[in-house]
Amino acid sequence: MDAANTRRRFDALVLPHLDAAYNLARWLCANPGDADDVVQEAFLRACRLFGGFRGDQPRPWLLAIVRNTWFTTWQKRHAAAETGYDEALLRASLPDWHGAPEDPEQWLLREEDVRLVHAALAQLPVAFREVLVLRDLEELHYRDIARIVDIPVGSVMSRLSRGRRMLAAAVVALRDNPPRPATHDAPTAADPIRPAGDPRHGMQ
């Protein structure tokens, strides 16, 4: 296939998923400006790699590139050694899931709670935040999330279950104790995470 036809196929298959790529990058990056940079670099990588794309589902393929592009950027900016996932610390920082009147998925469906949910989601470790974004916001299938994050489908389901419980707890905590106005409109990227394909990839 010549370069012109390849570019037309790329534009037809990949460009429609620009919003999904930016949404994932925004939740992984520290601010919208960084998300723009990550998406731009990811699309350049995707364009270079597109000749080897043989599937019929470009969105999971593109989002995996976005995720790994973000990790490369994060790794360059945070040279300090990564720390492992510490469940004890997490339990200390987020309350147990009690007092939440609904299934946590319903928080995402109530327009009046959108800002509260976004603030709560920003508090979660990336390992849980990314699967929630991919499943509950982007509505990807479990198998696609597993390919993007490079973990088994069972681990995706486990992280979703635990992440939703933590999200509900964080929503309740923020609702009962509203924080001061935030200075950033995007979640932080301080949580350690490993790239897709790394055999030491984070908590499963």
Side-chain angles (χ1 to χ4, degrees), residues 133-196:
V133 169
L134 292 170
R135 176 59 183 171
D136 292 333
L137 299 185
E138 292 300 326
E139 300 182 339
L140 290 177
H141 294 294
Y142 295 122
R143 63 178 181 275
D144 292 330
I145 299 172
R147 284 159 50 194
I148 293 168
V149 183
D150 196 29
I151 58 176
V153 171
S155 295
V156 170
M157 297 174 69
S158 175
R159 288 190 192 182
L160 279 170
S161 177
R162 296 171 68 183
R164 285 167 177 162
R165 290 174 65 87
M166 288 188 290
L167 177 64
V171 166
V172 171
L174 287 172
R175 183 190 61 194
D176 295 342
N177 300 285
R180 294 179 179 180
T183 56
H184 299 288
D185 58 358
T188 64
D191 309 295
I193 194 73
R194 300 188 187 279

Side-chain angles (χ1 to χ4, degrees), residues 33-106:
D34 286 345
D36 287 337
D37 292 342
V38 165
V39 170
Q40 182 176 6
E41 176 61 25
F43 266 80
L44 289 174
R45 292 185 182 185
C47 191
R48 291 195 298 267
L49 296 171
F50 189 68
F53 176 68
R54 296 291 182 269
D56 58 357
Q57 296 185 9
R59 185 161 65 141
W61 176 80
L62 174 63
L63 293 182
I65 294 175
V66 169
R67 183 182 183 275
N68 284 339
T69 300
W70 164 80
F71 175 80
T72 301
T73 302
W74 177 88
Q75 189 177 46
K76 289 178 179 178
R77 295 184 180 184
H78 301 270
E82 292 180 311
T83 56
Y85 171 83
D86 190 330
E87 188 166 356
L89 289 177
L90 179 61
R91 287 178 175 174
S93 63
L94 291 175
D96 291 333
W97 187 34
H98 61 80
E102 309 170 67
D103 186 308
E105 291 180 71
Q106 296 302 312

